[in-house]
Amino acid sequence: MKLWEAATGRLLTTCQGHTGEVYSVAWSPDGKTLASGSGDHTVMLWEAVTGKLLTTCQGYTNVVYSVAWSPDGKTLASGSSDQTVKLWEATTGKLLTTCQGHTGEVSSVAWSPDGKTLASASGDQTVKLWEATTGKLLTTLQGHIDTVLSVAWSPDGKTLASASWDHTMKLWDAPTGNPTLQGHTGVVCSVAWSPDGKTLASASGDQTVKLWEAAPGKLLTTLQGHINTVLSVAWSPDGKTLASASWDKTLKLWEATTGKLLTTCQGHSGAVSSVAWSPDGKTLASASNDQTVKLWEAATGRLLTTCQGHSAAVSSVAWSPDGKTLASGSNDQTVKLWEAATGKLLSTLQGHTDSVLSVAWSPDGKTLASGSGDHTVMLWEAVTGKLLTTLQGYTNVVYSVAWSPDGKTLASGSADQTVKLWEEPGTSEIDLAEYLRSRWLRLVGSEMVWEVNENLFRERSFGIVNLRGTTLLGVERSSTVGSQKLPEELSLLLRAGNFPEAIAIWKATSAEAADSPIRRMLLADLSASAADDLFLNIRWRGLWLTEQMQSMITSEAMLDPAVSLGMLRLDTELALASSDETEVVSVRESFNARIAAIAPRSWFVALGRNLVAAATKTDANKERQAALDQLRRLTNQLPDSAELRQLLADALQTYYKRGVDSYYGGSYEKAIIAFTEAIRIDPTDAYSYSMRGKAYSGLGNNDKAQADFAKADQLNAGQSPTSIPGNF
């Protein structure tokens, strides 16, 4: 995870700690802390202002699917596929208790509004209620006949709603746990509470919307009229009207008290993907695959206007906080701003090079954020449509953007398994790197000198400050900056990408001046940059940086999370680099030897997890082989590490299963690839040779088949050629 300055896109710090997919993120109630749950079996807490990793909550043995803060922000709950719910002390990350009882993965956790009860949903088809202070199981709610995907409390905390793959949504009386709702015959796609918490609406693949009286759980009415899946329901702000959007290309408005169909909004020629009420409840906006946004009069369902201009499906629509402007994001790579009162196109925001998948207004309505398939987040000035900055750093699609409640931080989530935090735009921010590039100033050795520039001659002094008002650099026109400004100079050089000069200055500095904070700053930046270079195949620079930083690494520096994570990424990328190049092998062996002498045992286990993830997810043959080779070397290097041996065994089982599934599915080529990788992990495994021989035989390659059968007989590890190791 990375923290960036929103005004400039400058990387403030690298907060990449997760080594697996990030499945859930949640802001603390005060907006100061962010929690994330991941496939790497951990929950991490981050300081929202700085992106600093506050603590890592460890204790799970499998994927963390859900995280949720208690209403007072003091406790964090998390649910995992290891079938447990854990409660953590938010300030310290200390594990308070483990709630055991589920026999399936925990997919969702939710706190009651008073913070006294925790609900959890599970693949074991149950919902469980826990006493929040002790973790004691209060009751088990049974009634679903398939995985329970989600739970949500009513605003008054008296009723719990659950949605399941069994095509039902159930309401439970929280104190007694009595199931009260069942009726849908298709998957429940969406549930929404009325503003007063008395009524629940559910939308389903059975083409209906159902309204339920929450307190007794009574079905009030079934809203029938759609002729395809109902994707979304949304209540008007006053709770009197319900809107539903469907694949049948229509919007419908229903009277909430009676369930009476008020009107059908027809006009879209494609599925309606998004529906949103204006803040005053008078207007409804809908986005569709037909490339349009439509505005409807909520009182009558009358089409007010059609906002035309997109040239591809519209995927997201959002109202400005004052209700005057509508933003839409589309697969045509643009964001468009519309005048809500008239539907007039105000501006088209161009800059993305792929689909815009999410748009979000800042709470003050001054800034619009957009996330895209082009791996970037863009910030736009709402009044003018001017592009403020492009936030780069992702390596995959950005699916969602969301502002913190105070509007000071933007969070974004991506398919690259990271969550990034970006600071709010600031007009006072000045990008130091830009001044280097524009030749307003330059660095000579450890001194800063001003270039001849008319703009500078107009001012006697020049100050550069960050968003918090802290002076980074203040220099008179005739002054120079020496070693007393070492941290600022190195930071400036690193941000400008001038790594040779940064390294030269550090090496020329006395040991007393180059203290631990400076060392850690350099190592964190250089390791992250070297890893990025190797990932982007700028191999020469990545290898050079790796060689240069080796003498800087110390045991003390490795204890810094940013340094440790940077080195973890770097070692992983080195492992994935081609083993055919002598220079790559030499640098990798030298780097690994240095790390082996100083890194803690837990660091190597984390590296092992990275390697397993890389080996089992990539389709690139060379990268997969390199990762497996490094994993085996790592395990041999630390033969007493039970964790690494287990990781190696897990990887072996993964390829066993892939090979077996592919073989019996008739995909002999894929089976050969899988069993070849199993052999790479364990060259003495007779079973893998035998199964690969069968796959070769299936392709008619009898020579290779006989060679593998002969090798299996030679090894004769006691495994029957027709048996399957492990439990599949």
Side-chain angles (χ1 to χ4, degrees):
M1 191 161 74
K2 295 180 185 295
L3 182 67
W4 312 77
E5 284 179 348
T8 64
R10 179 174 68 92
L11 177 63
L12 295 175
T13 187
T14 298
C15 308
Q16 188 165 355
H18 286 302
T19 56
E21 294 89 346
V22 180
Y23 285 103
S24 179
V25 291
W27 290 92
S28 62
D30 62 7
K32 295 181 179 179
T33 310
L34 193 70
S36 55
S38 170
D40 65 8
H41 310 176
T42 69
V43 174
M44 292 189 176
L45 298 180
W46 314 82
E47 186 178 54
V49 174
T50 63
K52 175 185 177 184
L53 176 61
L54 299 174
T55 188
T56 299
C57 305
Q58 294 178 315
Y60 279 115
T61 59
N62 216 319
V63 175
V64 181
Y65 280 126
S66 180
V67 289
W69 292 86
S70 62
D72 62 7
K74 295 181 179 180
T75 309
L76 188 73
S78 54
S80 167
S81 61
D82 71 1
Q83 306 178 5
T84 70
V85 174
K86 293 183 185 292
L87 297 178
W88 313 84
E89 187 176 57
T91 54
T92 64
K94 175 185 175 183
L95 177 62
L96 298 175
T97 188
T98 298
C99 306
Q100 294 178 310
H102 281 298
T103 58
E105 61 187 29
V106 180
S107 53
S108 178
V109 289
W111 291 85
S112 62
D114 62 7
K116 295 180 179 180
T117 309
L118 188 72
S120 57
S122 171
D124 64 10
Q125 306 175 11
T126 72
V127 174
K128 291 184 182 290
L129 299 182
W130 313 84
E131 187 176 57
T133 54
T134 64
K136 175 185 175 183
L137 177 62
L138 298 175
T139 188
T140 298
L141 312 182
Q142 295 177 311
H144 285 295
I145 57 174
D146 206 335
T147 298
V148 187
L149 298 171
S150 180
V151 284
W153 293 86
S154 62
D156 61 7
K158 294 180 179 180
T159 309
L160 186 71
S162 59
S164 167
W165 274 112
D166 65 8
H167 300 178
T168 73
M169 183 269 297
K170 296 181 184 293
L171 284 187
W172 315 80
D173 181 72
T176 64
N178 293 326
T180 53
L181 292 187
Q182 189 166 345
H184 282 298
T185 58
V187 173
V188 181
C189 300
S190 176
V191 291
W193 289 93
S194 61
D196 62 8
K198 294 181 179 180
T199 309
L200 190 74
S202 57
S204 172
D206 65 9
Q207 306 177 11
T208 71
V209 175
K210 292 184 183 291
L211 296 182
W212 315 82
E213 187 176 13
K218 175 185 176 183
L219 176 61
L220 297 173
T221 188
T222 297
L223 313 182
Q224 294 178 309
H226 285 295
I227 57 174
N228 208 326
T229 298
V230 186
L231 296 172
S232 179
V233 286
W235 292 86
S236 61
D238 63 8
K240 294 181 179 180
T241 309
L242 189 74
S244 58
S246 170
W247 274 102
D248 66 8
K249 308 175 185 178
T250 71
L251 283 174
K252 292 184 183 292
L253 296 177
W254 314 83
E255 187 176 59
T257 54
T258 64
K260 175 186 176 183
L261 177 61
L262 298 174
T263 189
T264 297
C265 305
Q266 293 179 310
H268 282 299
S269 58
V272 184
S273 56
S274 179
V275 58
W277 290 86
S278 62
D280 62 8
K282 294 181 178 180
T283 310
L284 200 66
S286 59
S288 171
N289 291 353
D290 67 6
Q291 307 179 9
T292 71
V293 174
K294 292 184 183 292
L295 297 176
W296 314 82
E297 186 178 58
T300 63
R302 180 172 64 92
L303 178 62
L304 298 174
T305 188
T306 298
C307 305
Q308 293 179 309
H310 284 297
S311 57
V314 184
S315 55
S316 180
V317 62
W319 291 85
S320 62
D322 62 8
K324 294 181 179 179
T325 309
L326 196 70
S328 58
S330 168
N331 293 353
D332 67 7
Q333 307 178 7
T334 71
V335 175
K336 291 185 183 291
L337 298 181
W338 314 85
E339 186 177 58
T342 63
K344 175 185 175 183
L345 178 62
L346 298 175
S347 60
T348 297
L349 315 183
Q350 294 179 309
H352 284 297
T353 58
D354 206 328
S355 299
V356 179
L357 302 174
S358 180
V359 289
W361 293 85
S362 61
D364 62 8
K366 295 180 180 179
T367 308
L368 189 72
S370 57
S372 170
D374 64 10
H375 309 179
T376 71
V377 174
M378 291 189 175
L379 296 182
W380 313 83
E381 187 176 56
V383 175
T384 63
K386 175 186 175 184
L387 177 61
L388 297 174
T389 190
T390 299
L391 311 180
Q392 296 176 316
Y394 280 116
T395 59
N396 212 322
V397 175
V398 181
Y399 281 119
S400 63
V401 287
W403 293 87
S404 62
D406 61 7
K408 293 182 178 180
T409 308
L410 183 72
S412 52
S414 166
D416 72 1
Q417 306 178 1
T418 69
V419 175
K420 298 184 190 298
L421 299 180
W422 319 77
E423 281 194 350
E424 65 175 324
T427 56
S428 62
E429 179 69 15
I430 298 173
D431 186 355
L432 304 186
E434 281 299 324
Y435 280 89
L436 278 182
R437 285 192 287 270
S438 63
R439 297 183 180 277
W440 280 48
L441 52 87
R442 63 187 175 91
L443 288 167
V444 178
S446 62
E447 293 188 346
M448 179 176 292
V449 297
W450 297 107
E451 290 289 288
V452 176
N453 186 291
E454 291 183 2
N455 293 311
L456 286 176
F457 286 147
R458 297 193 187 108
E459 299 292 340
R460 181 163 179 75
S461 62
F462 193 65
I464 300 175
V465 299
N466 63 13
L467 288 175
R468 302 176 188 86
T470 304
T471 299
L472 295 178
L473 191 64
V475 186
E476 296 242 341
R477 192 176 65 223
S478 58
S479 301
T480 60
V481 178
S483 61
Q484 73 274 12
K485 288 289 185 180
L486 182 61
E488 289 87 345
E489 291 183 21
L490 289 178
S491 176
L492 182 62
L493 287 166
L494 291 171
R495 290 178 57 193
N498 192 341
F499 301 123
E501 191 165 352
I503 293 171
I505 290 178
W506 186 84
K507 289 182 176 180
T509 304
S510 65
E512 182 179 350
D515 60 3
S516 295
I518 296 176
R519 183 191 300 270
R520 292 197 297 269
M521 176 184 69
L522 271 172
L523 286 173
D525 278 71
L526 294 178
S527 58
S529 297
D532 288 342
D533 285 342
L534 292 172
F535 176 79
L536 297 171
N537 210 29
I538 309 175
R539 189 158 294 171
W540 66 270
R541 189 168 63 187
L543 295 177
W544 180 81
L545 286 173
T546 303
E547 288 180 312
Q548 294 298 312
M549 75 177 71
Q550 287 187 40
S551 62
M552 304 180 195
I553 307 173
T554 63
S555 299
E556 180 189 17
M558 284 293 289
L559 296 177
D560 184 280
V563 175
S564 179
L565 294 174
M567 296 298 175
L568 187 63
R569 284 189 58 223
L570 176 55
D571 208 344
T572 303
E573 292 300 334
L574 283 170
L576 298 178
S578 172
S579 298
D580 300 334
E581 299 181 24
T582 304
E583 185 180 8
V584 173
V585 174
S586 175
V587 173
R588 181 169 57 216
E589 290 179 351
S590 174
F591 179 79
N592 286 336
R594 177 63 177 165
I595 292 292
I598 58 177
R601 180 65 58 93
S602 59
W603 187 89
F604 291 101
V605 174
L607 175 61
R609 291 197 192 101
N610 269 13
L611 294 170
V612 168
T616 55
K617 291 180 181 179
T618 182
D619 291 327
N621 187 47
K622 286 189 175 182
E623 289 188 1
R624 184 172 60 246
Q625 292 176 1
L628 290 175
D629 287 343
Q630 176 66 357
L631 180 61
R632 193 174 61 183
R633 285 194 296 267
L634 191 62
T635 307
N636 292 336
Q637 180 182 334
L638 300 170
D640 60 336
S641 173
E643 297 95 335
L644 286 174
R645 290 200 307 274
Q646 185 59 49
L647 287 171
L648 197 63
D650 290 345
L652 186 60
Q653 288 295 314
T654 296
Y655 284 112
Y656 273 156
K657 187 176 188 307
R658 286 186 185 179
V660 169
D661 290 347
S662 298
Y663 176 78
Y664 288 107
S667 300
Y668 299 127
E669 295 91 344
K670 291 183 178 180
I672 290 170
I673 292 173
F675 285 115
T676 297
E677 302 308 352
I679 292 169
R680 184 175 293 276
I681 296 173
D682 184 3
T684 66
D685 178 38
Y687 171 79
S688 294
Y689 280 104
S690 177
M691 288 300 296
R692 190 174 70 174
K694 289 183 177 183
Y696 276 129
S697 180
L699 290 176
N701 195 331
N702 294 325
D703 290 341
K704 288 188 176 181
Q706 291 304 317
D708 275 352
F709 290 144
K711 183 66 174 180
D713 291 340
Q714 177 186 349
L715 292 169
N716 192 18
Q719 301 179 78
S720 170
T722 59
S723 66
I724 302 174
N727 297 316
F728 300 110

